[in-house]
Amino acid sequence: MFAQEEPVLLGRRDEQHIEMEEEEEEEEEEEEEEEMKDLEKGEKERNVYRETGTGIHIFGMQRLSDTNPLRILQDSRIKVASPFHPQAQFSPHRQPPPPPPEMAVPFSDPAPQHPLAATLNSRCYTDKFSLFLFMAHLVSVVGLGSFLVFKGIQALVQQGSRRDQLLLRYFLPQVEVSSILSVTLAFIWQKAVRLWPKFMVHFIIWNSFILTLAAGILLICLESHATDALGSLFIAFAIGDGLYACWVTQRARFCSKIFIKSLEPVPKFRDLNHPIYCMLGAGFLWTSLWIIAVIGSLNFYFPPLIITALVLSLAWIVEVLRNVANVTASRVMSLFYLRGIQSSTSYSFQRAITRNLGSACLGSLLVPSIEALRIVARGLNLLEGEDEFMFCCAHCCLNTMEAIFSRGNGWAYVQIAAYGKGFVKASEDIWSLFQKREIVEIVNTDVTSTICFLSGICSGSICAIVVTAWSATVYRGYTASLAALAAFIGYLMTRISMALPQACVGCYYVCYAENPENRLFDRTIKDRLEFLKAGSRR
């Protein structure tokens, strides 16, 4: 009797052994699926499919019971138990089967882990010290600005002096109109670049020269010391801009191609411009209050010093707003290139104003200064000649600025947004990638960021022309101040809107450097690299 029951017990042990193996495999699969899930809120996979070792995914077999030994598991691991014959239980002549070994069924290698699954969702706050510094500056500016706004409103309401009356009638309306005009122009430039990138590259290059020259001539025609000085600055910049336009024309075709390719995925994200709207709205409100604070500073001690501090503060704050929009768009586009997913813009924006805000603040403080000094150093290096006394340090300055630029550049926002790295770390890693892919010369000669800069110059010149013409017909006492202020505000607002095209271009370069074989990239960069190498051989 015991001999008859022994095969039954062994069969049950086989089933229990298989069930235990199946449960362990199911737990491993659940862990792998959890690791591969992106934590983005609202993101949608572009390609929703699963690949198995045989190319077939059988969903109907999932309905089988967990205890069924014939259940077919996913992830290319199929376990089939040996068939069970009831007659063998009662056959006295059949020898009992030997117990199965512990590793009777070989397991396939685990699926390759994707490191991006963890790094793309970093929850650390980056560059905390710069975030603290910016928040302390913001609190100080809000406190001082509130007091100055109170003083300004008090002066405008009471109208105690003739100067206050003139400010209310001939200063405040012009500045507010220039702010509204600058926001309108910001939307126009961005929309035009997205729709007609090939035409707009040439148009912006030459239009910035024409508009700046026109603004300078108009200011000089008013024949006052202040307007003559400001008009001379506009004309000097226009001359330099015209020379640059003649020199950079040969690069415009490649710049147009990069704009076209990098802006192709933008229509897939219909809400990608929403952070731009928010930043432009915040910039407009802050600028409106800032103008009243400037008026209030005229009724306080040391007006020139306070106005200078307010101007620098406005430049930093608006630059932070621009880079917040840049980081938001960079995360959305980088996830599209790296993972092929449509990320949630609102969640990316939430990350940009919380975890990545410190890096945006640090980059806003360093990148404009570094790029300006780098341009000066490269200009000195180009002017180097036989006069060794004047330009003996040109190479030293250039090498120093190149070393600094490799540790602090505008390309860093892509990896700040994608991987949650700090500003300096992201700059170093990206520059190493560019050197590894041998595309440093391409990014150094890239003029897409210059196009975004010149679009801001165009808006500033238009605002200066409008305000100057208005002031010349009503009251010329504040013409120079109004023209400079309108040009500054127009430039800043347009730079915020152009953060989207600049972020798309940055993601295109950086994501190409990470994976040049990605099917989303064509031969645009490879052909350019071959062209530059062929030219260097000649």
Side-chain angles (χ1 to χ4, degrees), residues 230-251:
L230 185 61
S232 300
L233 291 177
F234 272 87
I235 292 177
F237 182 86
I239 293 173
D241 191 8
L243 295 175
Y244 176 78
C246 296
W247 177 68
V248 82
T249 303
Q250 57 184 351
R251 302 180 186 175

Side-chain angles (χ1 to χ4, degrees), residues 75-132:
D75 196 16
S76 305
R77 286 179 289 196
I78 303 176
K79 290 185 173 48
V80 181
S82 57
F84 179 71
H85 303 284
Q87 293 82 3
Q89 299 181 10
F90 307 100
S91 176
H93 304 287
R94 186 178 181 87
Q95 296 295 329
E102 294 183 0
M103 299 297 293
V105 182
F107 287 88
S108 61
D109 294 334
Q113 300 295 326
H114 295 267
L116 298 180
T119 57
L120 285 175
N121 294 282
S122 173
R123 297 182 178 273
C124 299
Y125 283 79
T126 58
D127 296 311
K128 298 178 182 178
F129 178 75
S130 59
L131 177 60
F132 170 77

Side-chain angles (χ1 to χ4, degrees), residues 44 54 68 111 125 133 183 197 252 262 269 299 310 318 322 333 336 343 410 414 473 492 530:
K44 298 176 288 185
T54 59
N68 196 316
Y125 283 79
L133 184 64
V183 173
S262 62
F269 308 94
N299 298 314
L310 289 176
V318 174
R322 181 179 79 89
M333 299 305 298
F336 173 78
S343 176
V414 179
T473 58
L492 292 178
E530 293 175 358

Side-chain angles (χ1 to χ4, degrees), residues 71-354:
R71 173 172 176 170
I72 300 180
L73 300 176
Q74 300 177 5
D75 196 16
S76 305
R77 286 179 289 196
I78 303 176
K79 290 185 173 48
V80 181
S82 57
F84 179 71
H85 303 284
Q87 293 82 3
Q89 299 181 10
F90 307 100
S91 176
H93 304 287
R94 186 178 181 87
Q95 296 295 329
E102 294 183 0
M103 299 297 293
V105 182
F107 287 88
S108 61
D109 294 334
Q113 300 295 326
H114 295 267
L116 298 180
T119 57
L120 285 175
N121 294 282
S122 173
R123 297 182 178 273
C124 299
Y125 283 79
T126 58
D127 296 311
K128 298 178 182 178
F129 178 75
S130 59
L131 177 60
F132 170 77
L133 184 64
F134 177 76
M135 297 306 297
H137 151 262
L138 191 62
V139 171
S140 303
V141 170
V142 168
L144 177 61
S146 300
F147 174 74
L148 294 177
V149 165
F150 169 75
K151 297 289 289 184
I153 294 176
Q154 185 180 23
L156 294 175
V157 171
Q158 293 180 356
Q159 298 182 10
S161 63
R162 182 174 180 273
R163 185 186 65 177
D164 296 335
Q165 296 177 5
L166 293 176
L167 288 172
L168 179 61
R169 295 179 59 184
Y170 303 120
F171 186 87
L172 185 61
Q174 283 87 334
V175 179
E176 290 294 340
V177 169
S178 67
S179 299
I180 297 174
L181 178 61
S182 64
V183 173
T184 305
L185 291 173
F187 286 119
I188 292 175
W189 287 117
Q190 191 216 88
K191 188 67 174 179
V193 169
R194 289 173 54 189
L195 293 178
W196 312 293
K198 188 174 182 179
F199 167 76
M200 289 303 297
V201 168
H202 297 274
F203 181 79
I204 290 173
I205 290 175
W206 290 105
N207 201 42
S208 60
F209 162 70
I210 296 172
L211 290 174
T212 309
L213 183 63
I217 294 174
L218 180 61
L219 286 167
I220 290 179
C221 290
L222 297 180
E223 298 180 351
S224 68
H225 295 294
T227 55
D228 288 347
L230 185 61
S232 300
L233 291 177
F234 272 87
I235 292 177
F237 182 86
I239 293 173
D241 191 8
L243 295 175
Y244 176 78
C246 296
W247 177 68
V248 82
T249 303
Q250 57 184 351
R251 302 180 186 175
R253 179 178 298 180
F254 178 70
C255 177
S256 303
K257 291 181 180 179
I258 290 296
F259 267 129
I260 292 171
K261 294 301 298 181
S262 62
L263 292 172
E264 279 183 356
V266 172
K268 301 178 184 292
F269 308 94
R270 298 185 180 275
D271 58 345
L272 194 56
N273 249 333
H274 291 177
I276 302 291
Y277 301 152
C278 296
M279 295 297 100
L280 279 175
F284 175 75
L285 293 177
W286 184 264
T287 304
S288 301
L289 296 175
W290 180 85
I291 294 167
I292 301 176
V294 170
I295 296 175
S297 66
L298 299 176
N299 298 314
F300 197 57
Y301 302 103
F302 309 109
L305 183 62
I306 294 178
I307 291 176
T308 302
L310 289 176
V311 168
L312 295 176
S313 173
L314 178 66
W316 191 16
I317 291 174
V318 174
E319 188 71 9
V320 169
L321 296 179
R322 181 179 79 89
N323 286 325
V324 165
N326 190 340
V327 170
T328 302
S330 295
R331 179 167 179 82
V332 174
M333 299 305 298
S334 61
L335 289 181
F336 173 78
Y337 285 122
L338 296 174
R339 294 281 299 278
I341 60 177
Q342 294 184 358
S343 176
S344 170
T345 304
S346 59
Y347 182 67
S348 300
F349 180 62
Q350 179 185 351
R351 287 178 59 94
I353 61 177
T354 52

Side-chain angles (χ1 to χ4, degrees), residues 432-452:
S432 299
L433 276 175
F434 287 163
Q435 292 175 340
K436 179 181 178 181
R437 303 299 181 186
E438 299 180 346
I439 61 174
V440 173
E441 187 176 359
I442 295 179
V443 298
N444 278 337
T445 57
D446 177 73
V447 295
T448 54
S449 59
T450 306
I451 298 300
C452 297

